[in-house]
Amino acid sequence: MSGSRRWFAVVGLWWVCLSVHAQPGALPQLNTHQQQWIADQIFQNECAGREACLTSWNAGEDFPSLGIGHFIWYRTGQQEAFKESFPDLLAFYVASGVSLPSWIAGLAEWDNPWSDRETFLASQDSERMQSLRQFLLETRQVQAAFIVQRMRNSLALMQAHSDTPDDLQQRFATVANAAPPYGMYALIDYVNFKGEGVSASERYQGQGWGLLQVLEHMDVAALQSDSGEQVLSAFARSAREILDRRIANAPAERNEIRWRAGWHKRTETYLPGG
């Protein structure tokens, strides 16, 4: 990210923060305890609560995944199908008045400095990697706020890509208000997990797997239920079906079926007591 792009990212996120908190809406507000619970739940989903997992580079991927939300970080000029999110998190820190680790703050650009997975893994015990893990561990709630912001901003993005934007808004609000705070958690976690579903690059055989696809695929009868648990059960079921479709459509060399059990287990956490 160039210096000018970085400046605009900071200013843009600062303005969005003000806008999000200023808008009254149909979404329930989360108290501090609920925000911390969601942060810890996402940390458990992505890292099983392990500090070492805060700085990961998965086998078969060409980028590291950092923080409680496994935010993707690309090298300079790197182009991939999946949405990069770690530089946006860095901008959110700055906009929130949080100082970055000195070695990241000193980078001329907010780009991943490791050339490959082997170099990254060899650096796991280095001073700067340890400082990064400690920083990410201590700022879990800031990361959760960033993820919440992305979820709230996702509705307008999805509506712009939907043939039925008003219906989509109603589905979004219905899930958000189901069995608080589980409905908000389900939306927050899924959009962080698999994105909004609006990027043309995040498609296999022309079909996406983001929150837009999950909401549009939900059973209409369940959405009309007075039971929050039934709504969330329908959301989780839709998510599993959309993820199964992604696995079926994925290139064979990606072997995405290896993730099926873990992905399904994650959707079970969207239910109270799950």
Side-chain angles (χ1 to χ4, degrees), residues 79-265:
Q79 299 291 325
E80 299 283 345
F82 307 110
K83 181 178 179 179
E84 184 184 28
S85 50
F86 191 66
D88 287 342
L89 173 62
L90 295 178
F92 186 82
Y93 277 125
V94 172
S96 301
V98 178
S99 298
L100 302 176
S102 58
W103 68 268
I104 292 182
L107 292 174
E109 312 237 351
W110 278 341
D111 292 320
N112 164 26
W114 294 281
S115 58
D116 52 46
R117 184 171 184 263
E118 290 69 27
T119 304
F120 179 88
L121 294 179
S123 302
Q124 284 298 298
D125 294 327
S126 67
E127 182 178 348
R128 71 177 184 176
M129 192 76 83
Q130 291 180 24
S131 73
L132 177 57
R133 277 196 296 273
Q134 188 63 30
F135 174 75
L136 292 170
L137 182 66
E138 292 175 351
T139 60
R140 298 192 303 280
Q141 202 160 1
V142 179
Q143 295 167 61
F146 171 72
I147 295 169
V148 170
Q149 174 189 275
R150 180 178 179 184
M151 183 279 290
R152 289 182 178 274
N153 294 342
S154 70
L155 178 58
L157 290 174
M158 293 187 297
Q159 285 182 292
H161 289 78
S162 174
D163 293 331
T164 55
D166 291 340
D167 177 65
L168 181 70
Q169 182 176 24
Q170 184 59 49
R171 290 172 181 243
F172 188 90
T174 298
V175 174
N177 286 281
Y182 280 88
M184 287 287 282
Y185 159 62
L187 295 175
I188 290 164
D189 183 74
Y190 196 86
V191 79
N192 178 72
F193 176 40
K194 292 302 176 191
E196 296 89 351
V198 302
S199 173
S201 66
E202 293 184 328
R203 298 280 189 276
Y204 290 153
Q205 300 186 35
Q207 295 183 309
W209 51 78
L211 182 59
L212 171 62
Q213 288 76 34
V214 172
L215 289 172
E216 291 187 334
H217 186 66
M218 283 183 68
D219 179 64
V220 174
L223 285 163
Q224 297 170 344
S225 171
D226 292 330
S227 167
E229 290 195 23
Q230 286 189 28
V231 171
L232 291 173
S233 179
F235 179 84
R237 182 170 59 253
S238 178
R240 289 191 293 273
E241 291 171 355
I242 291 297
L243 291 169
D244 285 348
R245 187 179 72 183
R246 166 178 163 157
I247 291 168
N249 288 342
E253 62 270 17
R254 285 191 55 83
N255 188 31
E256 293 202 358
I257 197 169
R258 59 187 158 149
W259 295 320
R260 184 176 186 272
W263 288 355
H264 279 211
K265 184 177 180 181

